[in-house]
Amino acid sequence: MSAASPQTDHLLVTAQPDLNRRVDQWLDHLADERRLADKTLVAYERDLRQFLRFLTDHLGGAPCIRDVAGLKPADFRGFLANRRRQGVQSRSLARGLAGIRSFLKFLERRGEVNAAASSAIRPPRQARSLPKPVSSRDAMDITSGDLAMETDAWIEARNAAVLTLLYGCGLRISEALSLTGTMAPKTGTRTLRIVGKGGKERIVPILPAVCEATELYLKLCPYAVAPDGPLFLGARGGPLNPRMIQLAMAKLRGALGLPDSATPHALRHSFATHLLAGGGDLRTIQELLGHASLASTQIYTEIDSAHLLAAYDKAHPRR
């Protein structure tokens, strides 16, 4: 993401030139050195712009680096309170504060500000929501391709192959749909190199069921899959839109009587939860999912504990 993005242009009305230059340099740093995903960069930039707009009103003029250096904890609290009055939820407020802190830390490393004032602010408390995996039985039904939800057999096989990749390898939809013809899992394929969020690479093992599902799709697909083109094609032969997989999952939900939480991404959660329940260690699951932090993976231990407690409450004779 270059510093001259359309998003950055909006910052010009809410910051002095010296601060604008630092914003551009910070965004380049996040993109080039920290390799953050584009969506994360856009969110951070948007949150910082909102903060600078607040400061423009709060200070009576567009701020410069010296103004930012003089901010007190009360200024950050005022910003969060202002955003809260606008109806912004805790998760978005916390993300916004994280982006602002990242920018101030960037300035601090240059010796231009002290970021202690922002660090003194606690992020808003968030209601912790656990991922909602589907059961192993439902996951098998979803990925079997036996429910005949599509009129074209090759589309049925395609959907089953994509969903099998999500559940069998713990992929995101974007990762599955980024595979090319040369990367197609086939008999004998043992591993797959996946490029995930932020350009991070990881190696995932390939189950025979994944190879079988992909080979069936390739056998039935009426279009030629180019070696360097997308592996999964749409009904007209172009790249498959992820929306089609979401719609296919919605049909399967209805047929199987599953809740709305049974989304394609829930299969990734199911992959992690079922591995953990089967004795997989947390570090390995972290690597397979491509999580940067173990904390992101640890949430699956809470799901496992919740299932154990539910089973205990249901089965114990003294319940």
Side-chain angles (χ1 to χ4, degrees):
M1 181 173 180
S2 74
S5 70
Q7 295 286 341
T8 307
D9 292 341
H10 293 287
L11 286 166
L12 297 174
V13 299
T14 54
Q16 296 293 333
D18 63 338
L19 189 55
N20 278 320
R21 285 193 295 272
R22 293 295 182 261
V23 171
D24 290 342
Q25 292 165 357
W26 171 65
L27 292 170
D28 286 340
H29 164 73
L30 294 179
D32 299 337
E33 297 183 32
R34 294 188 55 190
R35 301 176 67 184
L36 295 188
D38 286 346
K39 288 183 178 180
T40 304
L41 290 172
V42 170
Y44 270 21
E45 186 176 6
R46 182 176 60 246
D47 292 334
L48 181 59
R49 181 171 70 253
Q50 290 163 345
F51 180 59
L52 293 178
R53 283 177 175 166
F54 167 79
L55 289 182
T56 298
D57 293 335
H58 184 60
L59 301 175
C64 61
I65 292 177
R66 182 185 300 175
D67 294 322
V68 172
L71 294 176
K72 305 298 182 186
D75 298 313
F76 295 98
R77 292 193 188 97
F79 168 69
L80 293 176
N82 178 265
R83 296 288 286 153
R84 179 72 80 181
R85 286 193 296 271
Q86 295 172 2
V88 179
Q89 300 301 308
S90 295
R91 183 180 296 274
S92 296
L93 289 176
R95 187 202 61 217
L97 183 59
I100 294 165
R101 284 175 171 172
S102 172
F103 177 60
L104 294 178
K105 288 287 187 183
F106 176 78
L107 295 180
E108 186 175 57
R109 287 192 295 272
R110 301 179 64 91
E112 295 175 326
V113 308
N114 185 333
S118 66
S119 299
I121 305 301
R122 288 186 177 182
R125 291 187 178 182
Q126 303 176 41
R128 189 174 178 86
S129 59
L130 296 178
K132 296 178 175 60
V134 300
S135 70
S136 56
R137 179 187 293 275
D138 288 334
M140 295 297 287
D141 288 339
I142 289 168
T143 57
S144 69
D146 294 337
L147 296 179
M149 305 301 296
E150 304 292 340
T151 54
D152 293 330
W154 81 271
I155 291 182
E156 188 80 42
R158 178 202 67 192
N159 295 346
V162 174
L163 295 172
T164 300
L165 273 164
L166 305 188
Y167 179 54
C169 301
L171 303 191
R172 304 175 178 92
I173 291 186
S174 60
E175 294 169 347
L177 299 190
S178 70
L179 298 180
T180 63
T182 55
M183 300 171 70
K186 299 179 181 178
T187 301
T189 303
R190 302 297 300 273
T191 61
L192 200 58
R193 184 181 297 275
I194 299 296
V195 179
K197 286 186 176 180
K200 287 190 59 178
E201 290 191 359
R202 69 185 190 276
I203 302 296
V204 298
I206 298 296
L207 299 171
V210 173
C211 298
E212 292 168 8
T214 306
E215 288 180 322
L216 178 60
Y217 154 67
L218 290 172
K219 179 182 177 181
L220 298 178
C221 182
Y223 303 106
V225 175
D228 58 350
L231 170 59
F232 294 108
L233 303 177
R236 297 183 179 180
L240 178 60
N241 189 315
R243 179 61 180 158
M244 295 299 101
I245 298 301
Q246 293 166 345
L247 291 173
M249 190 69 171
K251 291 181 182 178
L252 290 166
R253 275 201 307 268
L256 296 170
L258 300 177
D260 291 344
S261 60
T263 62
H265 198 70
L267 292 175
R268 175 173 156 91
H269 294 321
S270 305
F271 165 84
T273 305
H274 299 165
L275 278 182
L276 187 63
D281 70 274
L282 213 54
R283 283 288 182 187
T284 299
I285 296 172
Q286 176 192 359
E287 291 295 325
L288 293 176
L289 291 174
H291 284 165
S293 167
L294 186 62
S296 299
T297 316
Q298 285 175 327
I299 194 168
Y300 294 109
T301 63
E302 297 185 30
I303 299 173
D304 198 38
S305 298
H307 286 173
L308 286 173
L309 289 173
Y312 176 86
D313 290 340
K314 181 178 180 181
H316 197 281
R318 295 300 298 273
R319 66 185 184 279

